[in-house]
Amino acid sequence: MDFLSIILDILLSAAFWTAVLRIATPYVLGTLGELVCERAGVLNLGIEGIMTLGAMAGWMAVYQGADLWTGVLAAAACGALLGLLHAALTVPLGLSQHVTGIGVTLLGTSLSYFVYRLVLPQASTPPTVEPFQPLALPGALAQTPLTYLAFLLVAVVAYVLYRTPVGLAVRMVGENPAAAEAQGLNVTAIRIGAVVAGSALMALAGAFLTLSAFNAFFFNMVNGRGWICIALVVFASWRPGKALLGALLFAVFDALQLRLQQASGGVLPYQLFLMMPYLLSILALVLVARRASYPRALMIPYRKGER
Amino acid sequence: MSSPVKGGPEVVLRLAGISKRFGPLLANDNISLTLHAGEVLALLGENGAGKTTLMNILFGHYVADEGTIEAFGRPLPPGSPRAALEAGIGMVHQHFTLADNLSVLDNIAVGTELLWRWRSDRGAARRRLLDLSQRFGLEVRPDAPVGELSVGERQRAEILKALYRDARILILDEPTAVLTPQESAGLFETLRRLTADGLAVVFISHKMNEVFAASDTVAVLRAGKLVATHATASTDRAKLAELMVGRSVKPPAPAPLSPGEPVLELAGVTVASGHGRPLLDRVDLTVCRHQVVGIAGVSGNGQTALAELVSGLIRPDSGRLSLKGSVVEHGDPADMVRRGVARIPEDRHSAGLVGTMAVWENLIAERYRDSSFSRLGVLRRSAARAYAREVIEEFDVRCPGPDARTQLLSGGNMQKLILGRTLAHGPDLILASQPTRGLDIGAVSYVHSRLLDARAAGAGILLISEDLDEILALADCVTVAYHGRLTPLLPHDRVSVSQLGLLMAGHWDILRDILPETVHAA
């Protein structure tokens, strides 16, 4: 069997690209969210927990009878709340962003499972909801509304960051908070705002999983996607457009390995294919991110009037 | 209270009874000042006299414990840079507050618009910036990232940032610390244009010549107190120096000595950088016993590489480094110490001392393996402590004792500690990088006299400094670093500050005037 022709077949099929866009969606949203936080100078390692909470909260709201968009809003609100916790600990109190972020992830993940079990103590097979349906737009591969929203948000975040006063303020507090303060900006408020907004975006990524990609909430469903987003932000050099590119690239690898697994018919162990996207991401990081210029104040707490 | 020196112009700023404590330290003690439109006030004082604290209170970075501020007749709310900006006060900090990754225009425009607008009006911002730039002769490139600007350009951007905000009172914190003499002259020219436009300027300084070059009024701070306010024209250097220090100070007077045999020789030394032009480019340099060789230059022109080379931290890519006549093939820092090189590092906090360790531990850091301080791999602590007590005594290091943590010492005492470590073993070559940076006049003269003692005792001294007055006061010969090259050695009595300034800016054609054909001996 000719390996190249198999890959070519896969790459030429519309179904493949439909899958790529679907797989990319949570990475796009999560990466955007992380990017907004980091541009303001706050590393948010709570992303994995925030995505899990978003997945659970969105699904739970719909399961309790809310409509799908209300579920999405509920997810965003819960994500924003957890982001507020992270911001409260890291910005005004200036605690270590690493440690706090890991704590937020543990809290968000456990809290989601806990609430899920509290509401559904008996369920052995996860109950389902009616998820978003694909929506065919003219000239586009049919996707669910959340995917379109994610791609739209890339443009929105890019516009806000580079074309509005508030975006400039966010970038400034991430580069040099002392300079921002000398210009009369409230560094604390801007950082908190960015972390809360970014966290809401991360929660949307979670909601996409339970309300669009799947129709139920189950354990370990975020499955490290948050950590990939952290790497994608570096890959993207903190730029929204490149973040989209990175998410798509990762999704291509992922969709490709799924299909190659099937095509190889068990000749090679499937774990080898599972590894592929991660290996390729590491390679891409090595190639691209060595030259990345970090927001200068990333991970540095700002304390007013310190000497 | 200070008495208004000028009668006519409007009072724009009035500080009344400002006091500020940091723990046990009284940084500002009941300070009152007035400033008039069109006036340049120099705030003169040693490091730690409270100048920057006072200006930070004025600009809202700190809140005063007592006292009030009035700008243009209205009370200024404390603790808010925003309120200060709105009252027309702009501040240019000593360490520029610019974000390197953003453009000049971004840096200047940030925070000037309402945050929640659909789009920034960059066109209007650019026009306003270029207009100001033209009006006050402050040239900038609006779209260049700040990280690519020279120090002088950054300072212009900082001043424009304040003017963009309609500042009528401009505070400059040690504005010339990073400038060449020519750039400083340009800055003072700018200040004259600003005051002609009716702005009032406060500039903080500890350099006497600037006070006379640029100010109308001078206020002297000492240990947190305002000790005097004078019209600049009615006072003189000696008087101001005495007010600053609280006693009279004599400048160092090196005794004439004829140079002995060479201790350090560099021949055609090149050190490559990762990219672009080399850090050091075919450098020849000789330092002899009984001789101080001063390296002048704007920082970043190869001085750091030169210091690292002589310390053994880096090796030449080509060329030869010799100490006391023998070529050093594979120098490392320990080897250099054994060969008689003593170092006063540029940054005493990061490279000179370990702040969290005790005084005695720092003192033996270079020779803890010597048999006097360790035996069979075990430290001889009592011997080390006894040695530390000797150094503390000998070099007048004010500290609780050998076991005190080093970071609790003042800057001057840290430098004395380093000096003690450097000089205690009678070195052959002393590498002194910025040996008096950030020290007050008293500590400066102590360091200078100790270095001159070492010179008299037979050491050769390589003095790297950004302070031209220091170089001209101490050095027998001067060389200027520019883009990794060094000029030939120039006898100190044949160059002036302004000639050094031109050489520092790369105008090496004037070497012909300083060193006409014959004179070429070091």
Side-chain angles (χ1 to χ4, degrees):
Chain A
M1 210 169 19
D2 184 357
F3 186 68
L4 275 179
S5 74
I6 294 177
I7 291 200
L8 207 63
D9 274 353
I10 293 173
L11 289 181
L12 287 176
S13 76
F16 172 76
W17 290 105
T18 310
V20 166
L21 295 185
R22 188 183 66 240
I23 293 170
T25 304
Y27 295 114
V28 172
L29 289 166
T31 308
L32 276 185
E34 185 66 33
L35 187 148
V36 169
C37 298
E38 291 189 18
R39 267 298 171 112
V42 183
L43 176 74
N44 191 346
L45 292 182
I47 182 168
E48 188 81 4
I50 292 169
M51 281 170 78
T52 308
L53 186 68
M56 196 281 297
W59 179 87
M60 189 59 78
V62 176
Y63 182 71
Q64 300 292 344
D67 67 68
L68 284 167
W69 285 110
T70 311
V72 171
L73 281 181
C78 289
L81 218 59
L82 212 48
L84 187 64
L85 174 68
H86 183 63
L89 294 174
T90 54
V91 181
L93 296 182
L95 302 186
S96 151
Q97 299 181 1
H98 295 102
V99 177
T100 308
I102 290 169
V104 168
T105 278
L106 292 174
L107 172 69
T109 315
S110 327
L111 188 69
S112 306
Y113 299 153
F114 176 68
V115 170
Y116 182 77
R117 270 298 163 216
L118 213 58
V119 178
L120 298 159
Q122 249 77 62
S124 53
T125 50
T128 59
V129 298
E130 188 63 33
F132 281 108
Q133 295 304 312
L135 195 70
L137 292 188
L141 298 159
Q143 294 293 340
T144 62
L146 284 184
T147 300
Y148 296 123
L149 179 68
F151 284 68
L152 183 68
L153 280 171
V154 175
V156 171
V157 169
Y159 180 87
V160 171
L161 274 181
Y162 290 102
R163 290 278 182 273
T164 68
V166 75
L168 177 57
V170 167
R171 287 186 288 136
M172 193 75 175
V173 299
E175 291 287 341
N176 188 342
E181 189 186 81
Q183 287 281 70
L185 295 173
N186 184 337
V187 175
T188 309
I190 291 167
R191 283 193 161 177
I192 292 178
V195 173
V196 167
S199 301
L201 285 172
M202 296 169 187
L204 288 187
F208 171 84
L209 293 176
T210 46
L211 298 178
S212 211
F214 307 101
N215 53 10
F217 176 79
F218 45 87
F219 289 98
N220 201 21
M221 86 174 301
V222 174
N223 196 19
R225 284 182 177 84
W227 309 135
I228 296 292
C229 292
I230 305 257
L232 283 175
V233 173
V234 182
F235 175 82
S237 311
W238 291 268
R239 291 179 166 270
K242 285 192 182 168
L244 174 64
L245 200 74
L248 285 173
L249 203 64
F250 187 81
V252 166
F253 295 151
D254 203 22
L256 200 60
Q257 66 88 9
L258 275 172
R259 280 164 177 71
L260 285 177
Q261 259 185 61
Q262 293 154 6
S264 80
V267 180
L268 293 168
Y270 75 96
Q271 287 91 342
L272 212 61
F273 294 101
L274 278 179
M275 265 164 51
M276 196 178 76
Y278 300 98
L279 279 179
L280 289 172
S281 325
I282 290 173
L283 193 71
L285 263 179
V286 169
L287 292 177
V288 175
R290 274 191 311 166
R291 292 186 307 273
S293 70
Y294 285 69
R296 289 286 165 83
L298 182 60
M299 292 189 279
I300 303 171
Y302 181 69
R303 296 185 182 91
K304 186 179 152 77
E306 186 148 280
R307 54 177 275 165
Chain B
M1 289 294 291
S2 66
S3 55
V5 179
K6 289 186 172 183
E10 163 203 17
V11 171
V12 292
L13 184 72
R14 201 186 290 280
L15 305 182
I18 301 287
S19 292
K20 174 76 182 171
R21 266 178 196 288
F22 291 107
L25 176 76
L26 190 52
N28 282 168
D29 186 0
N30 192 22
I31 293 178
S32 301
L33 271 180
T34 47
L35 182 68
H36 304 80
E39 180 182 14
V40 177
L41 171 74
L43 207 53
L44 182 70
E46 298 193 316
N47 286 288
K51 303 169 303 222
T52 300
T53 301
L54 184 65
M55 289 303 107
N56 276 334
I57 289 170
L58 172 56
F59 193 63
H61 286 311
Y62 301 153
V63 180
D65 298 332
E66 282 162 50
T68 56
I69 304 172
E70 253 180 43
F72 299 99
R74 280 201 218 112
L76 186 70
S80 165
R82 171 165 284 256
L85 286 167
E86 278 164 9
I89 301 171
M91 181 156 178
V92 175
H93 295 76
Q94 185 178 7
H95 304 287
F96 297 148
T97 52
L98 294 166
D100 286 353
N101 285 333
L102 304 186
S103 72
V104 171
L105 188 61
D106 277 348
N107 268 287
I108 287 173
V110 70
T112 58
E113 294 178 286
L114 288 174
L115 272 188
W116 300 104
R117 283 183 51 164
W118 280 111
R119 53 172 300 124
S120 302
D121 194 349
R122 305 333 292 284
R126 178 186 305 274
R127 280 192 299 278
R128 183 167 160 72
L129 174 61
L130 291 176
D131 177 54
L132 284 168
S133 154
Q134 199 152 32
R135 202 165 111 210
F136 294 105
L138 291 157
E139 208 177 305
V140 284
R141 295 174 281 155
D143 299 307
V146 167
E148 289 178 8
L149 302 188
S150 72
V151 177
E153 282 178 300
R154 281 176 212 221
Q155 189 171 63
R156 291 201 286 277
E158 280 278 11
I159 294 173
L160 281 167
K161 200 162 88 174
L163 297 175
Y164 190 94
R165 294 251 162 158
D166 293 319
R168 301 303 294 164
I169 300 169
L170 192 62
I171 308 165
L172 301 156
D173 190 359
E174 307 253 352
T176 60
V178 290
L179 302 182
T180 63
Q182 277 74 16
E183 281 175 318
S184 300
L187 172 70
F188 296 147
E189 176 59 36
T190 302
L191 295 189
R192 278 187 282 279
R193 289 197 197 202
L194 294 174
T195 47
D197 202 61
L199 268 84
V201 176
V202 182
F203 83 88
I204 300 177
S205 179
H206 61 238
K207 292 190 193 156
M208 214 67 78
N209 49 359
E210 293 173 15
V211 171
F212 288 96
S215 74
D216 303 312
T217 315
V218 51
V220 184
L221 256 59
R222 185 172 74 228
K225 285 194 176 70
L226 182 69
V227 290
T229 309
H230 288 296
T232 310
S234 72
T235 183
D236 62 60
R237 280 170 185 251
K239 197 162 152 196
L240 287 183
E242 206 173 320
L243 284 168
M244 255 169 97
V245 189
R247 57 190 158 77
S248 61
V249 196
K250 281 194 283 296
L257 289 172
S258 51
E261 80 261 29
V263 279
L264 170 73
E265 288 166 283
L266 302 183
V269 168
T270 295
V271 174
S273 62
H275 42 81
R277 69 171 143 80
L279 297 171
L280 287 179
D281 189 3
R282 289 162 288 149
V283 163
D284 299 314
L285 180 69
T286 305
V287 180
C288 300
R289 290 192 186 278
H290 300 299
Q291 187 186 38
V292 179
V293 172
I295 312 266
V298 179
S299 65
N301 275 296
Q303 297 97 319
T304 306
L306 184 64
E308 289 182 347
L309 191 75
V310 177
S311 318
L313 289 165
I314 56 174
R315 292 172 192 169
D317 291 299
S318 65
R320 206 176 63 241
L321 170 84
S322 321
L323 284 171
K324 293 183 281 180
S326 65
V327 176
V328 179
E329 291 288 353
H330 303 291
D332 62 53
D335 183 41
M336 290 301 203
V337 170
R338 275 194 299 276
R339 285 170 186 264
V341 177
R343 299 152 302 165
I344 300 174
E346 180 174 353
D347 185 338
R348 56 182 161 269
H349 300 283
S350 72
L353 297 167
V354 184
T356 51
M357 292 174 77
V359 166
W360 70 268
E361 289 172 305
N362 274 290
L363 275 175
I364 63 164
E366 282 179 347
R367 34 189 90 242
Y368 61 91
R369 275 179 302 227
D370 288 7
S371 59
S372 46
F373 298 129
S374 68
R375 182 182 292 157
L376 300 173
V378 179
L379 282 179
R380 303 171 63 177
R381 297 164 68 103
S382 52
R385 282 204 181 85
Y387 167 71
R389 268 188 288 270
E390 276 171 38
V391 175
I392 289 170
E393 172 84 8
E394 161 78 17
F395 288 84
D396 189 28
V397 182
R398 309 275 166 83
C399 68
D403 288 298
R405 274 199 305 166
T406 311
Q407 65 193 17
L408 300 176
L409 273 58
S410 74
N413 282 306
M414 283 189 192
Q415 200 69 347
K416 284 181 184 172
L417 194 61
I418 292 178
L419 211 58
R421 185 172 73 193
T422 308
L423 300 180
H425 295 269
D428 299 304
L429 176 70
I430 298 168
L431 167 69
S433 297
Q434 319 290 355
T436 57
R437 178 187 280 173
L439 300 186
D440 57 47
I441 292 186
V444 168
S445 70
Y446 183 83
V447 171
H448 285 170
S449 67
R450 281 292 183 160
L451 286 176
L452 289 174
D453 290 351
R455 164 179 174 270
I461 299 179
L462 186 60
L463 170 70
I464 301 178
S465 178
E466 283 170 31
D467 184 345
L468 293 181
D469 293 335
E470 170 169 272
I471 287 189
L472 288 177
L474 289 187
D476 299 294
C477 291
V478 185
T479 166
V480 177
Y482 181 73
H483 285 192
R485 305 272 298 139
L486 291 183
T487 65
L489 289 182
L490 314 169
H492 75 107
D493 47 5
R494 298 181 66 141
V495 281
S496 64
V497 168
S498 63
Q499 283 171 324
L500 286 178
L502 286 169
L503 291 169
M504 283 160 71
H507 298 287
W508 283 20
D509 43 327
I510 66 161
L511 278 173
R512 271 191 311 249
D513 309 329
I514 310 172
L515 283 182
E517 61 289 339
T518 51
V519 186
H520 215 86

